[in-house]
Amino acid sequence: MTASDQTQAANQMWGGRFAEGPDAIMTAINASIGFDKRLYAQDIAGSRAHAAMLAATGILNPTDADAIGEGLLTVLSEIEAGRFDFRADREDIHMNVEARLTEIVGEAGKRLHTARSRNDQVAVDFRLWVRDQCDAAIAGLTALMRAFVAQAAAGADWVMPGFTHLQTAQPVTWGHHMMAYVEMFARDRARFVDARARMNECPLGAAALAGTSFAIDREMTAAALGFDRPTANSLDSVSDRDFALEFLSAASICAMHLSRFAEELVIWSSAQFRFVRLSDRWTTGSSIMPQKKNPDAAELLRAKLGRILGATVALFTVMKGLPLTYSKDMQEDKEQAFDAADSLMLGLAAMTGMVGDMTANREALRAAAASGFSTATDLADWLVRRLGLPFREAHHVTGTLVAMAEKKGVDLPGLTLAEMQSVHAGITDEIFDVLGVENSVNSRMSYGGTAPVRVREQIARWQAALG
């Protein structure tokens, strides 16, 4: 396209207000078609609903409305077939679609924009797209939760160490550890469900910022697009991006949870831990060290949080200083959201695959659970229950026994009864029942505890909930 053609195209778009066409650099910074073409399906759906409403209210004659509806379907098929010519001089997806529509149906295409603005048009397109991403995240999280529940069911009573500060703390079960992530990702799913419900209001009809003098039916377009109701304030309708911020915030928390388990997989699959084996589908080799099996998928998942959280901060920064209503700054809302959504969906799919494929090493888990004085708390609790010691005194006695075992190079069960009685004469041989890791986890019967019977109750609850 020549410079004169660009000038003519710009003048056609803006009418007689501007005598000169845009500078090439201005065109480059102003155009968003390079990324907002992803909104084509939502843009066409919104335009079809708008045209149908204009016809139903008598604002547009039925013949023109039918032509517009069919023409928009033609545009949709061209885009999906890869035959559509996206042009930067038409700036964005809205003008690209409308211009092509007018080429197809003629004068009727120019009537489509009656009683709307690009401000409410982009607001409804973007809201529809984010709503779709919420649905995708909800489905992805459901699949991931099912994978964790399956792992929990396979090893509900397998003993493993529980950690604080990445130091052995108390014995827990594999099933209990897996179910912790089910609860975590359930909260993520609930956040997306909640955000979706709050964003499900239709801004179409707010026009540029003040509404329109045409007798439109906003309830009709809202219903046609699957919204619960139209938005209640036209100023807020075109300037609101809370729905995108909520999606990004929920995505950031979810990605943080993915990152936490990815970190555990990196640690657990190491030669030092050997808690799990990741399948070849999610690992790579080394270019120089033939023995290596690197958990690259888990490591990349850790890094995805940075991109998603960065997108969240970026959009907050864009929005924080904007007066009502629309400002061109808001064109910068989409690339971050697109990238974050892509990263989140990829991360959910990858983690679901890794969790489904991983194999836990039951023997290594139990051996680690039995080391590191993991039943010290059980010993202290026994001293309180059986001997009536105040807990602080029992804590001191137990600490002395741990120091004795450490000096001797054994774990607590490796001490003799005589050695234990040298610290407190009231200790009996019943203590050795308490010091077994299986007995320890079986005793944790409080609601939400690690006892296998409690774990299986939670597994059954979630199996029923997830279907």
Side-chain angles (χ1 to χ4, degrees), residues 229-263:
R229 64 191 71 84
T231 52
N233 184 286
S234 61
L235 297 172
D236 180 57
S237 299
V238 299
S239 61
D240 169 42
R241 292 299 182 270
D242 287 2
F243 60 92
L245 288 167
E246 283 201 64
F247 170 77
L248 289 172
S249 298
S252 294
I253 298 172
C254 181
M256 177 268 292
H257 290 153
L258 290 171
S259 181
R260 291 185 72 179
F261 190 66
E263 172 69 4

Side-chain angles (χ1 to χ4, degrees), residues 403-424:
M404 180 184 293
E406 192 171 36
K407 185 175 181 179
K408 189 179 176 183
V410 298
D411 218 320
L412 285 172
L415 293 175
T416 67
L417 178 59
E419 288 170 329
M420 291 187 182
Q421 288 175 336
S422 71
V423 176
H424 195 286

Side-chain angles (χ1 to χ4, degrees), residues 73-87:
L73 290 179
T74 299
V75 174
L76 179 64
S77 66
E78 289 178 353
I79 294 174
E80 291 181 338
R83 299 194 309 269
F84 191 90
D85 180 21
F86 291 105
R87 288 171 46 176

Side-chain angles (χ1 to χ4, degrees), residues 155-175:
D157 58 355
W158 297 359
V159 180
M160 67 174 289
F163 297 96
T164 60
H165 310 279
L166 202 55
Q167 305 295 314
T168 299
Q170 294 176 329
V172 296
T173 58
W174 172 259

